[in-house]
Amino acid sequence: MQAIIHTNMSMKMKLLLLLVVLVVVIGAQVSEWTDVCGGGHPSAMLHQTANHSRVYYAVMFDAGSTGTRIHVYAFVHTQADALPMLDNETFHSVKPGLSAHVHSPEMAAHSVRTLLKVARSTVPPLQWKNTPVMLRATAGLRLMSPDKAQALLSQVQHVFDDSPFLVPDNSVGIMDGTTEGILAWVTVNFLSGHLHVLTEQTVGILDLGGASTQITFLPKRTDCSVEKDRVDMFNSSFHLYTHSYLGNGLMAARLSTLRAHSVSSAVFKSPCLPKRFQGEWSFGEETYQVSGDPDGASGYRACYEDVLKTVKGIVHHPRFEDHVTLFYAFSFYFDRAVDANLIDEHHGGRLEVRDFKRRAKEVCKETSKDVFPVSPFLCLDLTYISCLLKDGLGFKDNTALQLCKKVSNMEASWALGAVLDHFENFQIHQGGGAC
């Protein structure tokens, strides 16, 4: 499969930014596990802007199911005899996601136009015409009918066309789940230094979005039993295992769990919610009435029985044992770990899989007594994450996970990988293998 992002930049600009990628990869040093997460000091690959430096930019929009985010990346050319390097990222987000505007597509355009102001204020005006701007929508739009999704994307395209930035061919589109997982893996391993040409050590990634979830890792080349996708990049080939589960993101799993126990479509009752809780909850195009069940069962065990229905037979063990030293987990894995006071929101932290189960039991016990945690959905969310990791993906209780929002001061997401793809034009071959 050809990479989904293409460029119509001048050859000079393309070669210059390709050098950005190659120099950073060659010069990066592998960081210690404890140094790559959170808002600490940038790694050795990040270079502070010097006087008389030349800065180049790229803008990537991540249109997710729960929000739209903008990433403005800066690449720096410091002096005549030095090559450019990745310097920094400006990040901002708005809620809800584009899919919430299905009945008023012009509001989708408004949210993107608002975020585009971040790019205008970050990128100097003289650089606007050379700065590519792109948007990729993920599972929120993948779940929608093609005509509704296209109506939203057309509004975004109009905003881009009216902007002063460079608008490449295919600048707006929907990213498939395989590519999303691969580009997230590229981002995290790139920023943590694990794409260094002299090392074969990499980390796996776990990305839990609102509508889908991805797992990606590099299996041992000698294992022919693991299905792989081949990715050609940075003059190397990587045979990755990646799988995206559409409908198993945290918000989609909430909806499935709430429906599993309800006998009425008017109000979704769940043992995962506080017994006397009543409220509204919105996801995608719809708003739902939800409540606890004051006369029914509650707590972790009852919640787990409903959650398991969204995982069992749907999410499969990828047989990653002995393949990966460590998995980085981000997006809603990180957010819910923060909400549950399992990690620090500024620096992330290391957890074992069993920590999610232990905390889920504690929160669900409080919920069954009508003690509201930070969110009435926290019992459900933690129980789902525990079930997904253990019963779905097959992680052991003592498997260590590095929970991150940032890696080397950059957002942990597929967005940087997509920008590198834009400049490098990765070749992603589905179903390829090393055997």
Side-chain angles (χ1 to χ4, degrees):
M1 178 185 71
Q2 295 292 327
I4 63 172
I5 305 175
H6 302 283
T7 179
N8 64 357
M9 298 177 67
S10 68
M11 183 60 69
K12 180 178 179 180
M13 185 67 175
K14 182 177 179 180
L15 290 175
L16 180 59
L17 286 165
L18 177 57
L19 288 174
V20 173
V21 176
L22 295 177
V23 169
V24 173
V25 172
I26 293 172
Q29 299 297 318
V30 177
S31 305
E32 294 295 329
W33 299 126
T34 55
D35 293 334
V36 295
C37 289
H41 297 292
S43 71
M45 75 179 70
L46 303 181
H47 188 87
Q48 297 300 312
T49 306
N51 292 334
H52 310 298
S53 63
R54 301 178 63 188
V55 184
Y56 301 88
Y57 299 88
V59 180
M60 178 62 69
F61 283 82
D62 169 2
S65 61
T66 59
T68 303
R69 306 109 191 167
I70 186 173
H71 305 256
V72 183
Y73 296 105
F75 300 91
V76 179
H77 191 199
T78 57
Q79 51 190 350
D81 58 349
L83 295 175
M85 297 188 73
L86 175 63
D87 181 63
N88 61 63
E89 170 195 39
T90 299
F91 173 80
H92 196 69
S93 64
V94 297
K95 293 182 178 181
L98 295 185
S99 58
H101 303 304
V102 63
H103 301 302
S104 53
E106 65 279 359
M107 290 302 297
H110 175 73
S111 65
V112 171
R113 191 176 292 110
T114 298
L115 284 175
L116 205 55
K117 294 178 182 178
V118 176
R120 286 175 176 266
S121 63
T122 302
V123 181
L126 290 178
Q127 292 277 41
W128 287 352
K129 66 180 181 179
N130 295 321
T131 299
V133 58
M134 298 161 284
L135 177 143
R136 289 293 175 266
T138 53
L141 266 64
R142 291 201 294 268
L143 285 171
M144 296 177 63
S145 64
D147 57 330
K148 291 181 178 180
Q150 186 54 52
L152 293 169
L153 295 179
S154 294
Q155 291 291 324
V156 174
Q157 188 68 62
H158 292 325
V159 174
F160 281 5
D161 290 341
D162 290 340
S163 79
F165 296 99
L166 175 66
V167 182
D169 294 338
N170 193 28
S171 60
V172 176
I174 299 176
M175 179 179 291
D176 65 82
T178 296
T179 303
E180 183 179 355
I182 288 173
L183 295 182
W185 182 91
V186 170
T187 294
V188 171
N189 281 278
F190 178 84
L191 292 175
S192 59
H194 292 92
L195 292 186
H196 191 289
V197 294
L198 299 180
T199 183
E200 295 182 358
Q201 185 183 40
T202 61
V203 297
I205 66 99
L206 296 169
D207 188 356
L208 181 60
S212 69
T213 186
Q214 288 78 37
I215 177 173
T216 307
F217 62 92
L218 181 66
K220 291 182 179 179
R221 289 182 177 268
T222 55
D223 189 345
C224 299
S225 64
V226 179
E227 184 179 350
K228 309 177 186 74
D229 292 292
R230 194 182 92 230
V231 185
D232 299 327
M233 59 184 178
F234 307 144
N235 296 321
S236 299
S237 291
F238 298 88
H239 297 268
L240 299 175
Y241 172 89
T242 185
H243 199 101
S244 179
Y245 293 96
L246 184 62
N248 281 92
L250 190 65
M251 299 299 117
R254 269 189 194 178
L255 183 57
S256 297
T257 301
L258 291 169
R259 283 174 170 164
H261 195 73
S262 297
V263 295
S264 169
S265 59
V267 179
F268 292 154
K269 294 183 179 180
S270 174
C272 301
L273 298 175
K275 279 181 170 290
R276 292 176 176 78
F277 170 76
Q278 294 183 344
E280 291 185 341
W281 173 67
S282 297
F283 174 59
E285 309 173 37
E286 304 294 337
T287 297
Y288 305 93
Q289 299 295 321
V290 298
S291 75
D293 188 354
D295 301 319
S298 63
Y300 176 81
R301 187 182 297 274
C303 181
Y304 184 84
E305 290 177 357
D306 280 356
V307 165
L308 186 60
K309 298 173 185 177
T310 70
V311 173
K312 189 174 182 179
I314 299 172
V315 180
H316 306 289
H317 296 194
R319 301 201 307 179
F320 51 79
E321 293 87 350
D322 301 325
H323 286 296
V324 182
T325 303
L326 188 68
F327 273 88
Y328 280 40
F330 44 94
S331 299
F332 277 121
Y333 286 116
F334 178 89
D335 295 338
R336 289 301 170 265
V338 169
D339 293 339
N341 295 318
L342 287 170
I343 59 172
D344 178 79
E345 67 176 319
H346 299 293
H347 300 97
R350 183 89 64 93
L351 295 179
E352 292 183 346
V353 168
R354 72 175 114 225
D355 292 325
F356 279 108
K357 181 178 180 179
R358 172 184 56 79
R359 189 68 181 114
K361 287 183 174 182
E362 294 171 351
V363 171
C364 292
K365 183 177 181 179
E366 295 172 355
T367 299
S368 67
K369 298 177 180 178
D370 269 350
V371 178
F372 280 50
V374 64
S375 164
F377 291 97
L378 191 57
C379 166
L380 193 163
D381 292 348
L382 292 175
T383 301
Y384 175 70
I385 289 174
S386 176
C387 183
L388 175 66
L389 291 172
K390 189 162 176 34
D391 295 279
L393 296 172
F395 283 91
K396 297 178 181 178
D397 284 336
N398 63 350
T399 301
L401 304 176
Q402 187 71 49
L403 277 291
C404 290
K405 180 175 176 59
K406 292 176 178 285
V407 179
S408 295
N409 272 357
M410 303 284 184
E411 291 289 320
S413 80
W414 54 262
L416 178 58
V419 168
L420 299 181
D421 179 9
H422 176 72
F423 296 138
E424 172 80 355
N425 287 323
F426 299 162
Q427 300 297 308
I428 303 175
H429 310 271
Q430 286 189 322
C435 302

